[in-house]
DNA sequence: CACTCTATCTATCATTTGATAGGCTAGCGC
DNA sequence: GCGCTAGCCTATCAAATGATAGATAGAGTG
């Protein structure tokens, strides 16, 4: 049972290197030998820390999608208007992925998510989308957002989040993400009156802590 | 040289089934046996029609990214304002992917694009992004678009296109893409005055043929 | 010192996977 | 009818890959 007490350093390094390689080459494109080599241990040593290759991915998803859904759920059920909540979610997501010790840039695009053993995480990803869509719909009904296909709007939000994180780079100034600018960009397309964006921003700032501490 | 004369039906079916499987499981997650089984031929028969597995992907990319870049380039160098051009590009892209005989939903997310032999296509993908960014920048400079990080805005456009196509479904009414609604959604976030969207739409309609016939 | 547990190694295995070799058959030109 | 080719098959291979077995070294404990 490797799941016990104090985590040794190697286990952590495996997760870090694995996440990096998985983001680049995907699940099937990343071999256990690749991961082991990146960590600097022999390939069989991986199986001392994780029961199998899939367990590494499972743990990465655990760190990624679980807090995301928890945070968004917390935001949705709490006080505030839909626009401020959506703004807070986008800022929170950019921050969460940037602060993660793991490279979760391609978290959604993992083909691994088709694996039966990852069905639970696939459901969580869908739940995140459902909650985002719920936020958009309630904003439409309250007259804050323009009407239209909520699914399409949600794909814009989700697609933007995934894509921006995927191609973000700390080496190039232009590709460093300003979470608030990203959120404002998306909100502009949904708000009936884009002039109100500044008030949305103000209200969202108060909601931000709700996304981080579920 | 399979590249010659009249294409037999099998070759076409290989491309269709391969694109479908590749969209779901990615390059490394799709085996030549999977493809052959889907087509209904033996695995070695694939290599009568294609020199190797990568050649199938190469041909799919050829059908996908080459016309996309050609169309966008044609649009960029031609007449019209940036907003109308961007609108036309989004409508054109949704249409192009919907009309393709192949399932190119995940065209960008292929981990295969890291393969050295696909470097040319990787460059084309980058060129498509560069052209999109150019369109956004010129819209900003001409005072049509709000100022801000053009890279971030481009990621929103590209992310939306990829994501919406990826999860589109002809079985669910809500998930059927209305190209013009998608384009309007994105344009709203960029236009300084969203009220002008209708005029943008009108001007874009004239540009549309330019995207399709390069 | 003897025992135990952790973390690693080398050697190896069974499968999977991309690809090749070579044979069979139906259709076409002459 | 003969020869040729396209298109497909079965059998098979070499390499890659996930995983196991078993040995070893070192630290902690009594």
């Amino acid at each position: 049972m490797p799941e016990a007490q104090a985590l040794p350093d190697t286990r952590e390094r495996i997760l870090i290197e694995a996440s990096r390689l998985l983001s680049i080459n995907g699940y099937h494109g990343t071999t256990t030998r690749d991961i082991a080599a990146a960590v600097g241990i022999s390939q069989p040593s991986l199986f001392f820390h994780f029961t199998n290759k899939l367990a590494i991915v499972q743990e990465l998803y655990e760190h990624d999608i679980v807090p995301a859904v928890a945070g968004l759920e917390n935001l949705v059920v709490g006080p505030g208007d839909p626009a401020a909540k959506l703004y807070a979610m986008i800022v929170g997501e950019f921050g969460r992925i940037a602060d993660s010790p793991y490279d979760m840039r391609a978290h959604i695009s993992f083909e691994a998510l088709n694996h039966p053993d990852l069905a639970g995480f696939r459901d969580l990803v869908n739940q995140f989308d459902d909650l985002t869509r719920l936020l958009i719909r309630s904003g439409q009904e309250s007259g804050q957002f323009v009407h239209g296909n909520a699914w399409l709007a949600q794909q814009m939000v989700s697609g933007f989040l995934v894509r921006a994180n995927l191609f973000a780079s700390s080496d190039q100034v232009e590709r460093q993400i300003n979470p608030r600018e990203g959120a404002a960009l998306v909100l502009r397309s949904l708000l009936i009156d884009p002039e109100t964006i500044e008030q949305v921003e103000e209200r969202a700032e108060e909601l931000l802590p709700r996304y981080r501490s579920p």
Side-chain angles (χ1 to χ4, degrees), chain A:
Chain A
M1 318 293 158
E3 249 54 40
Q5 323 86 326
L7 294 176
D9 211 31
T10 303
R11 187 184 162 83
E12 194 61 24
R13 269 188 300 149
I14 291 173
L15 289 169
I16 292 170
E17 295 300 326
S19 70
R20 190 176 57 81
L21 291 167
L22 288 165
S23 287
I24 299 169
N25 299 317
Y27 181 72
H28 299 282
T30 304
T31 70
T32 53
R33 281 168 179 79
D34 292 338
I35 300 171
V39 174
I41 58 177
S42 73
Q43 181 255 353
S45 293
L46 284 184
F47 299 95
F48 173 79
H49 299 279
F50 296 90
T51 58
N52 52 32
K53 184 186 173 186
L54 198 65
I56 301 175
V57 177
Q58 276 175 312
E59 186 147 332
L60 286 173
Y61 265 112
E62 195 81 41
H63 281 290
D64 179 52
I65 189 68
V66 172
V69 171
L72 180 50
E73 212 158 34
N74 207 39
L75 212 48
V76 166
V77 300
D81 59 296
K85 286 178 177 178
L86 190 63
Y87 186 103
M89 180 276 264
I90 295 168
V91 172
E93 266 303 279
F94 277 134
R96 196 181 59 76
I97 292 180
D99 294 348
S100 169
Y102 313 121
D103 187 337
M104 298 308 302
R105 292 178 299 176
H107 56 137
I108 294 295
S109 68
F110 280 172
E111 348 78 84
L113 225 47
N114 289 320
H115 194 290
D117 289 3
L118 296 182
F121 295 116
R122 200 174 51 236
D123 292 344
L124 284 177
V125 170
N126 288 336
Q127 203 180 328
F128 190 90
D129 287 354
D130 290 345
L131 287 169
T132 305
R133 219 148 51 231
L134 182 75
L135 229 40
I136 293 173
R137 282 220 189 81
S138 49
Q140 290 174 330
E141 284 160 18
S142 72
Q144 206 172 14
F145 289 162
V146 291
H147 278 83
N149 186 330
W151 175 81
L152 203 64
Q154 179 247 306
Q155 297 307 320
M156 185 184 66
V157 176
S158 305
F160 175 50
L161 280 171
V162 170
R163 176 82 183 210
N165 280 307
L166 189 57
F167 291 104
S169 158
S170 50
D171 297 339
Q172 293 175 253
V173 182
E174 199 189 28
R175 299 197 177 184
Q176 284 170 2
I177 297 173
N178 178 339
R180 284 167 181 76
E181 182 179 355
L185 194 61
V186 170
L187 262 293
R188 275 186 56 84
S189 82
L190 292 172
L191 285 172
I192 285 185
D193 183 6
E195 302 295 318
T196 63
I197 185 79
E198 284 178 28
Q199 293 131 54
V200 172
E201 281 169 357
E202 279 173 33
R203 293 197 300 276
E205 289 300 326
E206 290 171 32
L207 298 180
L208 268 174
R210 299 189 64 86
Y211 192 79
R212 294 318 206 78
S213 49

